[in-house]
Amino acid sequence: MPTRLALLALLLAASCGEKMKNAASVADQFVDRYYVESDQAGAMSLTSGVASLRLRDELKLAQEGRSGGALGALRQVRVYYKRDALEGNGDQRNAAYRLDIRPQGGGALSREAHLELSRQADGTWRVSRFNETNP
């Protein structure tokens, strides 16, 4: 039985590693975790460089805010997205997304997310920078 579990864990790790070798997959996973799930810690594993620094700062601020009770009254939001472009060649890619943000209680916001991805020495892709703009 333990060898079956070890084999299953190895296969699962290999499939995750393969997803990391596709820039589009990494970009989509990042948008899911960061924008849709609001999971900065989960998005961290998909980043490098400036993007990692930004997420560390956001996590620190969120932790400080939670300790003071300041984040308790935040409204729930749903975020939908569509990838508009994935461009570039070599070790760099740029991805553009259209975000449709729907706060609980009504209303809607539109934003565009721009991601820069870099291929790492091990062949995997990471989001190296990201930002949002108004359309």
Side-chain angles (χ1 to χ4, degrees):
M1 185 75 138
T3 49
R4 286 184 186 176
L5 282 175
L7 181 59
L8 180 60
L10 183 61
L11 290 172
L12 184 60
S15 72
C16 290
E18 287 304 312
K19 288 180 183 177
M20 296 295 289
K21 292 189 178 190
N22 180 300
S25 177
V26 170
D28 290 348
Q29 287 178 66
F30 179 83
V31 171
D32 277 334
R33 290 182 189 172
Y34 184 77
Y35 293 104
V36 175
E37 298 169 10
S38 298
D39 180 10
Q40 290 105 330
M44 181 73 78
S45 66
L46 302 168
T47 65
S48 66
V50 173
S52 293
L53 294 173
R54 176 177 168 178
L55 289 180
R56 278 191 209 117
D57 287 347
E58 287 182 14
L59 286 166
K60 183 180 176 189
L61 288 171
Q63 183 179 5
E64 290 170 1
R66 285 185 191 105
S67 67
L71 298 178
L74 289 178
R75 295 191 313 171
Q76 294 293 323
V77 298
R78 294 205 182 265
V79 178
Y80 304 93
Y81 68 90
K82 179 180 186 284
R83 184 173 3 113
D84 287 335
L86 180 65
E87 303 170 334
N89 53 37
D91 292 338
Q92 301 295 316
R93 299 285 187 279
N94 293 301
Y97 290 85
R98 197 171 333 136
L99 305 175
D100 179 22
I101 304 164
R102 306 282 175 135
Q104 180 181 349
L109 300 167
S110 294
R111 295 289 183 270
E112 293 175 353
H114 306 278
L115 282 58
E116 293 179 24
L117 295 104
S118 301
R119 186 178 1 232
Q120 307 300 296
D122 64 0
T124 61
W125 288 89
R126 298 285 191 277
V127 174
S128 53
R129 293 179 185 269
F130 66 100
N131 64 24
E132 306 80 32
T133 59
N134 288 322

